[in-house]
Amino acid sequence: MTPETSDPALQALAAGIGEAARLNHHMLVTAESCTGGWIAKTLTDIAGSSAWFECGIVAYSYEAKQALLSVRPQTLEQFGAVSRETVIEMVSGALANTGATVAVAVTGIAGPGGGTEDKPVGTVWLAWKRRGGYPRAEAFHFDGDREAVRRQTVAAALRGLEALTV
């Protein structure tokens, strides 16, 4: 575990995001697959988060991604769940289907199984978007076991949110 992915570091990042969101009148939504709600948990661990946290959506299956986040079946069939195209539809759907103004979405392969030659374990796509803006998506390749990949993903997701909430 690196210093930036320790629980105190994640809590400090979340507290800063919450303060910036509150000051700038943002409401946040998370759309999570491989992190299973860990981003939402980290944000809602902050007292007073109800002032700036709208909701968290955990969508693991293709069906949940389609129903809750408006991901198109064609996108999933053509590119798979772990792709730039899917994470962009996830982040856009999270904003379209909630009252939030800022969103983060994540899809990836945390392991220990599920990896392929094209998409090995540790492959993660993150996307961030402000209502009315364009999404930004980024691929990551994290090392370590399932816990380490997920923790690094949460840290990266929070760093992206930090940039959007100011």
Side-chain angles (χ1 to χ4, degrees), residues 1-156:
M1 185 165 37
T2 63
E4 71 173 1
T5 62
S6 69
D7 285 340
L10 294 178
Q11 291 166 353
L13 259 174
I17 290 163
E19 183 62 14
R22 187 185 63 74
L23 290 172
N24 293 296
H25 309 288
H26 288 302
M27 290 298 285
L28 277 54
V29 59
T30 64
E32 303 181 61
S33 188
C34 66
T35 48
W38 194 343
I39 301 165
K41 182 217 180 296
T42 302
L43 292 167
T44 60
D45 280 348
I46 305 303
S49 57
S50 60
W52 46 267
F53 187 83
E54 175 85 13
C55 65
I57 301 164
V58 177
Y60 245 62
S61 70
Y62 276 26
E63 292 79 9
K65 285 176 178 67
Q66 291 170 46
L68 301 173
L69 298 169
S70 304
V71 175
R72 296 175 315 123
Q74 300 87 335
T75 302
L76 293 165
E77 289 167 19
Q78 186 173 356
F79 302 103
V82 181
S83 65
R84 179 181 194 282
E85 293 79 6
T86 295
V87 81
I88 285 174
E89 289 187 18
M90 288 172 68
V91 78
S92 297
L95 285 175
N97 296 330
T98 67
T101 58
V102 174
V104 60
V106 60
T107 184
I109 305 163
T116 65
E117 195 173 314
D118 305 5
K119 299 175 186 179
V121 169
T123 302
V124 174
W125 276 96
L126 280 159
W128 303 267
K129 185 177 179 182
R130 265 194 193 174
R131 183 171 297 283
Y134 294 103
R136 179 174 74 83
E138 189 173 345
F140 295 85
H141 299 281
F142 297 123
D143 291 323
D145 63 9
R146 183 175 181 82
E147 177 87 358
V149 168
R150 294 173 79 198
R151 187 179 297 273
Q152 291 170 83
T153 300
V154 172

Side-chain angles (χ1 to χ4, degrees), residues 17 130 136 158-166:
I17 290 163
R130 265 194 193 174
R136 179 174 74 83
L158 293 176
R159 284 192 303 273
L161 278 177
E162 185 177 45
L164 271 187
T165 54
V166 292

